[in-house]
Amino acid sequence: MPNIKSAKKRVKVIATKTARNKAYNSSLKTAVKKASIAVAANATDKVESVRLAVKKIDKAVAKGILHKNTASRKKSALARKLNSASA
């Protein structure tokens, strides 16, 4: 544990940010998983679930949780699954 006052504050701030990022990452993974399952099961709302997952991915990039190339790769994979299921 740090002794300096500013270092103590950084520990608290980092803990808060880590909790926030972890929660967002969890909801992001859930959205992507739901979209993948919907596409695999050929559900009626598969397009909507993929759209919501892509929106969640874009928000993660804006918040600095995901790198833009990682987000692009995830969105591309979802789009490929959706297009192959449609065809």
Side-chain angles (χ1 to χ4, degrees):
M1 192 67 194
N3 294 324
I4 299 167
K5 187 176 181 181
S6 61
K8 289 178 183 178
K9 182 179 179 183
R10 291 308 311 161
V11 168
K12 286 183 184 177
V13 170
I14 289 169
T16 305
K17 286 184 175 186
T18 301
R20 187 178 298 132
N21 289 345
K22 198 171 185 180
Y24 199 86
N25 229 333
S26 177
S27 67
L28 173 69
K29 287 179 185 177
T30 303
V32 171
K33 188 186 277 189
K34 280 184 180 178
S36 293
I37 290 171
V39 169
N42 205 14
T44 55
D45 65 336
K46 64 183 175 188
V47 176
E48 180 66 18
S49 62
V50 169
R51 190 184 67 77
L52 289 174
V54 167
K55 185 177 179 182
K56 207 65 148 149
I57 291 169
D58 287 337
K59 278 192 174 183
V61 172
K63 290 174 184 281
I65 294 170
L66 286 180
H67 190 271
K68 64 179 183 174
N69 292 351
T70 304
S72 181
R73 188 176 65 244
K74 287 180 181 290
K75 292 191 307 190
S76 176
L78 279 173
R80 270 197 317 265
K81 285 179 185 176
L82 183 63
N83 291 338
S84 65
S86 300

